[in-house]
Amino acid sequence: MTLAQLQIKSSFSFLKSMVQIDELVQQAKNLNYDTLALTDESVLHGGAISFYQACEKAGIKPIIGMEASILIEEQLYSFLLLAKNESGYKELIQLSSLIQQGGVCQLDGLREASENFILVLPISPLIEEQKEWFDHLSRIVRACEGFSLYLGISPNTGDFWPMLQEWVRKTKQKAVALPDVRYVYKNDALAYSCLEKLAIGDKWDPSAASFDKHLYLRNEQELKQIYQNWPELLEEASSVAKKCQIELKLDQRLLPKYPLAEGQRADDYLEKQCHLALSKKYDNITDVIVDRLHYELDVIHSMGFSDYFLIVSDFVRYAKESNIMVGPGRGGSAAGSLVAYLLGITNVDPLEYGLLFERFLNPERVSMPDIDIDFSDEKRDQVIQYVSEKYGVEQVAQIITFGTFAARSILRELSKTMEIPDSDLYYILKKLPKESNEKLAVLLKKSPELIDYVKHSEKLKILFKVANRLEGLPRHHSTHAAGVIISDQPLTKYVPVMPSQNQMLLTQYPMNDLEKVGLLKFDFLGLRNLTLIERICSQINHHSTEPMEIDAIPFDDANTFSLLREGRTNGVFQLESQGMKQVLRDLKPTNLEDIVAVNALYRPGPMQFISLFINRKHGKEEVHYLHPDLGPILAKTYGVLVYQEQIMQIANKMANFSYGEADLLRRAVSKKEKNILLEQKEKFLQGCQENQYPASLGEEVFEWILRFSNYGFNRSHAVAYSMIAYQLAYLKANYPLAFFAEMLSMQMGNADKMQSYIREATNQSIKILPPIN
């Protein structure tokens, strides 16, 4: 007999289940289950894709289903719908999207697709007069004629089985075993009982609690024992499992299309736009520039990403034309792309700053492109709205995320439900670190005082026991801070959706599942510092006859570097911490490269090399290279290995790695994957030997790269963010009135910050007037 469980609610049926997917599948494997069906309430949410993948990995057949209310003769009835095939899964996507957007599922609307799923009608205990109840059941069954319908018989209807068996025999209606699973392990009944009360806001007393102890994943012997008086139900469950065979199409490339005139190709249009931009960006178009452009275009065309670049450049262009401040380019190393620079996606010339395209798109490792775009945080939504209108409201959606119970939050919630005294809760929270991401059990072990405190109270012991099991469960959904999906088809062809708070669609699947399906994420980030720059420039332009163009400011401004050398960087992005101010005073930066380097180094780990960097800049320590050939690569950082791109350049120079191969090396050393590392090391040493470098030098350089791999920073990102820092420093140094006016306006309500800026402005003989009412 196939061991099948046809009804499981996951924790994504918020506060109605404790079932975590990985835990469920592991236990099912331990119990030798052949088939599991996920049947969350009206949603496919965060469970369907991860459930499918986990089951496939464990050798268990996954059935994707859903519990839904279906309208029959003016009345709603709860059914389980189990997808028999991929078409059935697609029907569930449509149905879930309909329900979540306020629609009602009608039985007649499902008839055309009836062969693609199985209906299971869970039977509730008989609470009405027996004859009327069976007449009512008969009407439902007749209405479902033409569907593959089963009655779901749960263990808690056992008292009524004899009459149900008789009715099923007479009507020849099919029935299946339908235990309900809301938690994985038998001993989780206590915690689930508490969760039920927490969900509805009731109080819970463990000593007086009555709860269902049978909602766990049973083993085969337990199922046979429960259904011993009706063993056919288990056989029918096996039969249903065999009828369901779903294979999801994952890892597709469902890239959106940029709208072009009929007959136009995205590849051709992209190439044309880039060539038109060359003369605008460069006074002298050299062979190096042209060769780099053609190389990048070849890679982009071969990967099928031309539409992606055109879409991003289009909404960036819209933002700039709408006077919405756009960042210079960061994230995913997009600043390393000449194509992105020519299209106006970034403001960083990758040739001028020695940035590598392969750090962004590697022809040796095909992956989705990822360009994060920063916008003024106050106007970011305006750009997203533009995209929604351009590509269609059914084809654009924001991405769902899930808020979970963290250690401190679950203790707070349970303390209300269990009526834990405030004094106890205050003591407990005082002993738990506020910013820690560690699990509650780990935090408890680190505090002997708290362990001793809890040990002396039975109620507190139960509090921690329950909290330990409920910690990490999803409690609600929200919207991803930046991610937006754009599809070439209505999204419900691929994923279920639901409404969001801003009238846009929201995917039911989280980011990782969307990427697994094959949809492409675009990141629209709101950056407050861009809003500040936008406001300062507006203020300057309002009072000046000469327009302020922030992208046209010089990067060798004496006032700016004087401000930086003195550490007067309050309000300057990335440079305003006390530690960074001291670094700037010690470093005495003289060019943008210095700012880029300290931005990359001022992090835990590489921070230890800042003094070496400073001493070498000022000639207090000799600049040393392992070999003279490394000089051109490391000169800007005085021989200190700072950037991931430098690792790639060293591999290219010494070992003949292509930049694509060098990027694979960079990834391998950062991930410390032993087998891959050994392969890469052997290849590196062989390349060094072919270039006539001594074997000992090859070993030394590779070990040096390996040692610094934890510290190497993405140079493209560092350059882009250093530009924003420089722009703010430039505005502060050259337009202090506008800078302080806008900074004070943005800090209204933050008394400490206000006082700091007022004091600094006053020291510069700037008179501060009260706000105008």
Side-chain angles (χ1 to χ4, degrees):
M1 181 186 76
T2 299
L3 191 57
Q5 172 63 44
L6 300 181
Q7 180 178 222
I8 303 170
K9 300 286 183 295
S10 82
S11 54
F12 291 102
S13 289
F14 297 137
L15 307 184
K16 294 181 180 179
S17 169
M18 291 173 54
V19 173
Q20 302 272 45
I21 299 297
D22 289 341
E23 197 172 66
L24 164 73
V25 173
Q26 182 58 55
Q27 177 66 352
K29 186 177 181 180
N30 295 340
L31 299 178
N32 297 314
Y33 269 84
D34 300 283
T35 307
L36 297 175
L38 187 67
T39 55
D40 281 317
E41 294 183 6
S42 301
V43 294
L44 300 179
H45 254 166
I49 300 298
S50 55
F51 169 75
Y52 176 86
Q53 290 179 275
C55 285
E56 290 276 294
K57 187 177 180 181
I60 296 171
K61 180 198 283 188
I63 299 176
I64 296 180
M66 187 174 72
E67 181 180 333
S69 295
I70 299 177
L71 188 64
I72 302 175
E73 297 177 355
E74 306 299 318
Q75 193 167 344
L76 288 171
Y77 297 94
S78 182
F79 286 85
L80 300 184
L81 291 91
L82 306 178
K84 290 171 68 175
N85 47 41
E86 186 187 357
S87 296
Y89 167 67
K90 289 180 177 178
E91 287 294 330
L92 291 182
I93 286 176
Q94 298 289 339
L95 179 57
S96 176
S97 301
L98 170 72
I99 294 171
Q100 290 303 315
Q101 293 180 86
V104 176
C105 175
Q106 302 194 39
L107 187 67
D108 289 341
L110 297 175
R111 286 197 182 280
E112 283 188 19
S114 59
E115 73 276 8
N116 295 323
F117 51 79
I118 292 170
L119 283 181
V120 181
L121 177 64
I123 296 299
S124 302
L126 306 178
I127 54 175
E128 303 167 7
E129 200 278 326
Q130 181 182 328
K131 183 178 182 307
E132 287 182 7
W133 191 88
F134 280 112
D135 287 344
H136 183 65
L137 185 58
S138 297
R139 287 196 298 274
I140 298 174
V141 170
R142 281 196 300 273
C144 293
E145 191 174 346
F147 288 87
S148 183
L149 175 69
Y150 291 79
L151 303 184
I153 310 300
S154 67
N156 66 350
T157 57
D159 293 344
F160 305 100
W161 281 7
M163 61 187 79
L164 278 170
Q165 281 177 296
E166 180 64 20
W167 188 85
V168 166
R169 185 186 61 78
K170 279 185 180 179
T171 61
K172 298 181 180 179
Q173 174 59 49
K174 294 178 180 178
V176 293
L178 197 69
D180 191 6
V181 174
R182 303 294 179 114
Y183 45 91
V184 175
Y185 305 110
K186 189 173 184 177
N187 58 6
D188 278 337
L190 181 78
Y192 179 72
S193 166
C194 185
L195 180 67
E196 287 185 297
K197 295 296 184 182
L198 187 152
I200 60 176
D202 275 2
K203 303 303 179 189
W204 181 74
D205 181 354
S207 61
S210 59
F211 44 87
D212 193 334
K213 298 180 181 179
H214 307 292
L215 298 176
Y216 64 97
L217 187 67
R218 295 176 171 86
N219 62 37
E220 186 173 2
Q221 290 70 32
E222 289 172 315
L223 289 172
K224 286 180 176 177
Q225 175 68 29
I226 290 169
Y227 287 99
Q228 61 181 323
N229 295 326
W230 201 347
E232 298 86 352
L233 295 176
L234 292 174
E235 293 169 10
E236 283 290 2
S238 297
S239 174
V240 166
K242 288 172 184 173
K243 291 177 181 177
C244 296
Q245 192 66 47
I246 183 169
E247 290 187 24
L248 298 186
K249 292 178 181 174
L250 302 178
D251 297 311
Q252 299 181 83
R253 293 181 64 184
L254 306 172
L255 303 179
K257 302 293 183 187
Y258 180 73
L260 291 168
E262 190 174 345
Q264 274 191 314
R265 293 174 64 249
D267 289 352
D268 298 335
Y269 187 75
L270 176 64
E271 188 166 346
K272 180 182 177 183
Q273 295 303 307
C274 288
H275 279 288
L276 287 172
L278 272 176
S279 58
K280 297 176 184 176
K281 295 285 188 178
Y282 295 100
D283 295 328
N284 180 26
I285 302 173
T286 65
D287 289 344
V288 171
I289 296 171
V290 173
D291 289 347
R292 171 73 172 256
L293 174 59
H294 287 163
Y295 167 70
E296 288 194 17
L297 286 171
D298 285 346
V299 172
I300 292 166
H301 295 343
S302 67
M303 289 183 167
F305 294 149
S306 293
D307 287 285
Y308 175 82
F309 276 85
L310 291 171
I311 290 169
V312 176
S313 67
D314 177 66
F315 64 68
V316 169
R317 175 201 53 76
Y318 164 79
K320 290 177 178 178
E321 289 178 357
S322 302
N323 296 317
I324 297 171
M325 185 77 186
V326 182
R330 61 120 179 171
S333 302
S337 169
L338 177 61
V339 169
Y341 176 60
L342 292 173
L343 293 175
I345 294 171
T346 69
N347 291 340
V348 180
D349 181 351
L351 297 172
E352 181 182 348
Y353 290 97
L355 306 180
L356 303 181
F357 177 68
E358 291 81 0
R359 180 63 183 82
F360 169 55
L361 277 185
N362 185 352
E364 303 284 340
R365 183 184 61 85
V366 177
S367 59
M368 293 288 203
D370 182 19
I371 302 177
D372 298 343
I373 306 292
D374 291 310
F375 298 97
S376 159
D377 66 341
E378 291 181 345
K379 299 177 182 177
R380 162 188 169 272
D381 289 346
Q382 185 180 329
V383 185
I384 295 175
Q385 188 61 40
Y386 165 78
V387 169
S388 179
E389 290 171 2
K390 176 151 189 166
Y391 296 93
V393 293
E394 294 183 343
Q395 293 172 221
V396 178
Q398 292 181 280
I399 299 172
I400 202 169
T401 59
F402 299 102
T404 58
F405 285 113
R408 294 172 66 88
S409 65
I410 190 59
L411 287 172
R412 284 197 186 92
E413 294 296 328
L414 290 179
S415 292
K416 297 175 196 169
T417 303
M418 293 178 63
E419 298 185 288
I420 301 293
D422 289 344
S423 57
D424 284 339
L425 178 62
Y426 175 78
Y427 181 86
I428 291 167
L429 293 179
K430 188 179 177 182
K431 293 296 180 182
L432 297 176
K434 288 183 180 180
E435 303 302 325
S436 175
N437 291 322
E438 290 184 300
K439 290 286 187 181
L440 187 57
V442 175
L443 295 176
L444 185 60
K445 284 179 183 176
K446 290 182 177 180
S447 176
E449 292 177 353
L450 185 54
I451 291 174
D452 189 59
Y453 189 84
V454 171
K455 219 189 310 183
H456 289 85
S457 167
E458 197 61 36
K459 201 168 187 179
L460 291 183
K461 283 195 277 187
I462 293 174
L463 168 70
F464 273 82
K465 180 181 179 181
V466 171
N468 190 52
R469 291 303 294 145
L470 300 186
E471 182 185 12
L473 293 183
R475 58 189 301 189
H476 58 72
H477 74 263
S478 55
T479 304
H480 189 280
V484 173
I485 294 293
I486 305 174
S487 170
D488 66 328
Q489 301 286 329
L491 277 161
T492 50
K493 183 175 179 180
Y494 308 119
V495 294
V497 298
M498 58 199 302
S500 70
Q501 293 179 341
N502 60 2
Q503 309 307 310
M504 284 184 66
L505 291 178
L506 185 68
T507 63
Q508 286 189 36
Y509 291 166
M511 186 168 64
N512 290 344
D513 289 353
L514 293 169
E515 290 175 352
K516 194 65 184 173
V517 169
L519 290 165
L520 184 56
K521 171 178 66 76
F522 295 77
D523 280 320
F524 297 73
L525 295 112
L527 192 62
R528 199 171 187 215
N529 285 279
L530 293 181
T531 303
L532 177 59
I533 293 173
E534 192 176 70
R535 288 184 176 184
I536 294 170
C537 291
S538 177
Q539 180 86 257
I540 294 167
N541 288 332
H542 180 73
H543 292 99
S544 173
T545 55
E546 295 183 16
M548 154 56 67
E549 299 252 352
I550 195 65
D551 291 333
I553 63 174
F555 281 96
D556 57 356
D557 179 65
N559 292 337
T560 303
F561 281 103
S562 175
L563 177 142
L564 292 170
R565 286 193 288 270
E566 293 168 17
R568 293 187 286 112
T569 51
N570 279 344
V572 176
F573 181 56
Q574 304 269 298
L575 305 179
E576 57 184 329
S577 71
Q578 290 303 317
M580 183 60 94
K581 288 176 186 177
Q582 188 56 53
V583 168
L584 290 171
R585 285 191 285 265
D586 294 340
L587 176 65
K588 297 179 174 50
T590 52
N591 53 57
L592 185 65
E593 280 294 342
D594 288 344
I595 306 302
V596 176
V598 295
N599 252 327
L601 288 170
Y602 196 79
R603 295 173 296 119
M607 195 177 285
Q608 62 182 292
F609 302 110
I610 290 178
S611 58
L612 177 66
F613 183 91
I614 291 172
N615 287 338
R616 287 184 173 182
K617 174 180 170 63
H618 296 305
K620 296 179 180 177
E621 194 168 321
E622 184 183 351
V623 176
H624 171 70
Y625 304 112
L626 293 178
H627 190 278
D629 286 355
L630 300 182
I633 297 171
L634 299 170
K636 289 181 179 178
T637 53
Y638 309 106
V640 179
L641 187 55
V642 176
Y643 308 114
Q644 295 168 355
E645 286 86 342
Q646 287 174 317
I647 292 175
M648 295 168 64
Q649 289 168 319
I650 291 169
N652 171 258
K653 175 66 179 176
M654 292 190 65
N656 294 329
F657 279 44
S658 70
Y659 279 124
E661 291 170 331
D663 184 59
L664 296 180
L665 169 65
R666 175 196 63 79
R667 289 174 59 84
V669 295
S670 64
K671 291 189 173 183
K672 300 287 194 293
E673 295 172 357
K674 192 171 182 180
N675 292 338
I676 300 175
L677 262 181
L678 287 173
E679 291 174 12
Q680 292 287 344
K681 181 177 181 179
E682 187 178 334
K683 184 177 179 180
F684 182 86
L685 295 178
Q686 185 179 341
C688 289
Q689 188 177 357
E690 289 170 1
N691 281 338
Q692 307 300 311
Y693 292 108
S696 59
L697 177 65
E699 288 274 2
E700 187 178 5
V701 171
F702 191 87
E703 290 303 315
W704 185 55
I705 288 173
L706 196 59
R707 198 164 59 250
F708 274 77
S709 62
N710 291 329
Y711 307 141
F713 194 74
N714 180 339
R715 176 169 164 81
S716 295
H717 183 92
V719 169
Y721 264 18
S722 295
M723 280 190 170
I724 298 176
Y726 180 89
Q727 287 170 344
L728 274 166
Y730 177 89
L731 292 172
K732 184 175 184 180
N734 292 281
Y735 301 94
L737 290 177
F739 179 89
F740 282 110
E742 293 304 329
M743 183 59 78
L744 287 167
S745 295
M746 288 187 76
Q747 295 297 336
M748 293 288 283
N750 187 332
D752 290 342
K753 288 269 190 182
M754 290 278 288
Q755 285 301 317
S756 173
Y757 292 126
I758 289 172
R759 187 163 52 249
E760 186 178 0
T762 304
N763 288 341
Q764 294 183 41
S765 302
I766 295 173
K767 187 175 181 181
I768 304 296
L769 301 176
I772 300 172
N773 292 327

